[in-house]
Amino acid sequence: MEEAGDVVFRLNQLGQILFASKRAVALIASQTPLAGDTLPRLISLDDQAPMAALLAEVGASGQSRLLEARIKTPDAEIWHELRVSSYANQHGASELLVVGRDMTVQHATEERLRHMATHDALTELPNRLLLSDRMRMVIANARRSGQGFSVATIGLDGFKKVNDGLGHPIGDALLRTAAARLRKTLRDSDTLARVGGDEFVAVLPGTATEAQIKLVTGRLIATLQSPFEIENHTIYVGASVGVAVYPQHAEDEVKLVALADAAMSRAKETGKARCVVYSQSQSGPPEHDISLEAAMFQAVREGEFLLYYQPIVDARTREIQGFETLMRWKHPTLGMVPPARFIPIAETNGLINLLGAWALKAACVQLKQFEEVAKRSLYISVNISPRQFRNDKFLDVLDDAIAFSGLLGEQLVLEITEGTLMIDPVHAESILSKMAERNARIAIDDFGTGYSSLAYLKRFPISVLKIDRTFIRDLPGSQKDGAICNAVLDLAKHLDLSVVAEGVETEGQMEYLEQRGCQYIQGYLTGKPMAANVAMAALKESIHVKVVPAELRQVAQ
């Protein structure tokens, strides 16, 4: 009996103790024998009723039963698993045997596992799982009370430099300190969670007005702007904060965190160390469209991508000199998907390499057909995306397109933005030089809207400048736009570069540019982007403007 369990009791049918083991007596620290006491009196008040019911049930049925209950001791109430069994003593009378097992270690282990499942191991803050649960509770309370609340995503600025320069142990120590500072700044009713890397999420009940948000986020940013002193290193990081408000922006926890994260990304993009409250108009597409991305891969298999061609004409004669190749996606249910929607996704997931290689080869082949109709030499202009340009196989793709089509290199113009060149100028110089060796001409697309430095015009083998439509739109009335166009045309003349003016939509714009020596024109006035068969119809006459259907020349409303 002494060794049967951590605590052992013999009871009569009324629950009175007939025997208690030495360890049971020592645990309860009774100065008098326990005989005569009832077992329920020795356990926690909350567990007494279940214990009494269980004793009655076992006495009546004779079936063994288990119950977890807290036995009272002088210092604490200790959980035990109690097995209650019925038996007949040597006199034939029914008695109850209670054998208990101390559950302290098991409960501590279970609690530790629960904590690990719901908390971040590094900072001890709630993780995504517990954050989601807390947010659902706050949302439920907000619905009952009609009071809004905010969700703030906090991202450290420049944290990567800490890990890279000082090592991950220093980075971990900084994160722990940052978490402690943020927690101290917030109220007890607020929830602060670490959701990964250097990002934290704060749920702020009752914080919904502009003034309240400004006050709280200002404190969050300020507490992280102070230097961190870690192992003899003084480190400055700072933070950017994005905020989404319930119910104005979203009404579920997943969406609220996603929108706050989007706002935080915008805060980083627009200067860092600041707070941005989510705004759909400022944030652009709120999320990466996963369903559209899946449809894009299907579109490649089904051949839904098309190439359209916009004429580039001589400003004086209006004769077509070449075409810019533009990609289009004709979805079976969505219709024509705008390039602004699918090109960024393709650039992100790498599909642009496949689409770009196809577009380059197909455009070169199409130019041969255009020349057969026109009975003269033309050129084709193809846009090269940043990811294509940085791809190791880009030059192989270029060689393949030229060889397959049989074009001369000078008939191919490759359009590259200023930003693409300046991402890695050394790499750009190497690739552009090799492109020039193939006689392909390089055009700077959207000239004047990217990097303000003109050094690349000297450094790189550029042949063509394309004046962006933003400088053409208000001509001839805008004095500033006129000055910019005149400067570009004068610069190009002295550098022996060709100039194409994009977005020409009116006769006034056309006349203005022609008078100032702009040689090439591209825009709705002389032709919208068109299918290959429409472009070939236009080429059957030497003067393009006479044969383009009127609807293709109408200015976009």
Side-chain angles (χ1 to χ4, degrees), residues 307 309 325 358-368 380 382:
L307 292 182
Y309 302 90
T325 306
W358 162 74
L360 183 58
K361 182 181 287 188
C364 290
V365 172
Q366 185 62 60
L367 182 63
K368 300 298 288 186
I380 197 78
V382 181

Side-chain angles (χ1 to χ4, degrees), residues 441-491:
R441 290 184 288 163
I442 314 301
I444 300 299
D445 196 16
D446 303 332
F447 182 74
T449 62
Y451 287 77
S452 59
S453 172
L454 298 178
Y456 64 81
L457 292 180
K458 174 182 177 182
R459 180 175 180 179
F460 301 144
I462 307 299
S463 300
V464 182
L465 301 181
K466 300 195 75 173
I467 303 178
D468 188 73
R469 65 187 67 248
T470 57
F471 303 123
I472 305 297
R473 183 176 53 236
D474 296 326
L475 291 179
S478 171
Q479 185 176 355
K480 290 184 178 180
D481 287 332
I484 291 171
C485 288
N486 289 338
V488 173
L489 290 168
D490 190 51
L491 179 67

Side-chain angles (χ1 to χ4, degrees), residues 91-344:
H91 304 295
S94 294
E95 292 182 0
L96 299 174
L97 178 65
V98 180
V99 179
R101 180 165 63 97
D102 189 334
M103 300 294 288
T104 302
V105 174
Q106 183 171 331
H107 275 219
T109 301
E110 290 174 354
E111 180 59 32
R112 189 163 58 252
L113 291 173
R114 279 192 293 270
H115 185 83
M116 290 171 61
T118 57
H119 289 76
D120 170 54
L122 180 65
T123 63
E124 293 296 317
L125 292 176
N127 61 12
R128 284 185 182 274
L129 182 65
L130 185 54
L131 172 67
S132 182
D133 184 62
R134 296 266 181 90
M135 286 189 65
R136 283 194 289 269
M137 293 173 59
V138 173
I139 289 171
N141 290 335
R143 284 174 178 161
R144 285 193 295 270
S145 67
Q147 186 179 39
F149 70 92
S150 298
V151 176
T153 297
I154 306 136
L156 300 187
D157 295 332
F159 178 70
K160 187 175 183 297
K161 70 184 180 186
V162 179
N163 275 340
D164 293 347
L166 300 176
H168 288 274
I170 301 293
D172 289 348
L174 188 147
L175 287 173
R176 283 192 290 268
T177 305
R181 288 187 187 180
L182 292 171
R183 180 65 271 176
K184 189 175 180 180
T185 303
L186 297 171
R187 304 165 298 178
D188 291 340
S189 59
D190 300 330
T191 295
L192 178 67
R194 182 182 177 222
V195 294
D198 61 354
E199 288 191 14
F200 301 85
V201 171
V203 183
L204 311 169
T207 302
T209 68
E210 183 179 349
Q212 290 170 331
I213 292 170
K214 186 176 181 180
L215 177 64
V216 175
T217 58
R219 289 173 178 170
L220 294 174
I221 292 172
T223 195
L224 295 178
Q225 282 180 333
S226 300
F228 291 80
E229 300 291 342
I230 299 174
E231 295 186 16
N232 299 320
H233 298 287
T234 301
I235 304 169
Y236 292 85
V237 285
S240 297
V241 180
V243 176
V245 182
Y246 173 94
Q248 291 94 312
H249 298 142
E251 296 187 23
D252 69 89
E253 71 274 12
V254 175
K255 192 73 170 178
L256 280 167
V257 173
L259 297 184
D261 194 57
M264 187 266 289
S265 296
R266 181 159 182 82
K268 285 183 176 290
E269 292 168 1
T270 55
K272 299 183 180 179
R274 61 191 299 259
C275 173
V276 170
V277 178
Y278 176 76
S279 168
Q280 186 172 3
S281 62
Q282 292 182 354
S283 299
E287 58 202 17
H288 187 84
D289 195 329
I290 301 298
S291 59
L292 192 68
E293 182 175 36
M296 284 179 63
F297 284 95
Q298 178 71 16
V300 171
R301 291 191 292 270
E302 299 297 329
E304 295 171 7
F305 286 98
L306 309 170
L307 292 182
Y308 272 41
Y309 302 90
Q310 185 168 27
I312 300 171
V313 307
D314 185 293
R316 185 177 58 83
T317 66
R318 305 202 182 188
E319 186 177 61
I320 296 175
Q321 302 298 309
F323 293 90
E324 179 180 351
T325 306
L326 301 166
M327 195 175 299
R328 295 291 185 266
W329 176 14
K330 189 175 184 180
H331 190 277
T333 56
L334 299 175
M336 296 298 282
V337 181
R341 284 191 68 190
F342 71 81
I343 292 295

Side-chain angles (χ1 to χ4, degrees), residues 360 393-403 412 414 434-435 438 440:
L360 183 58
K393 297 188 179 299
F394 173 68
L395 291 174
D396 294 336
V397 171
L398 176 61
D399 288 338
D400 189 35
I402 292 174
L412 180 60
L414 301 172
K434 291 174 182 177
M435 291 163 65
R438 291 155 171 80

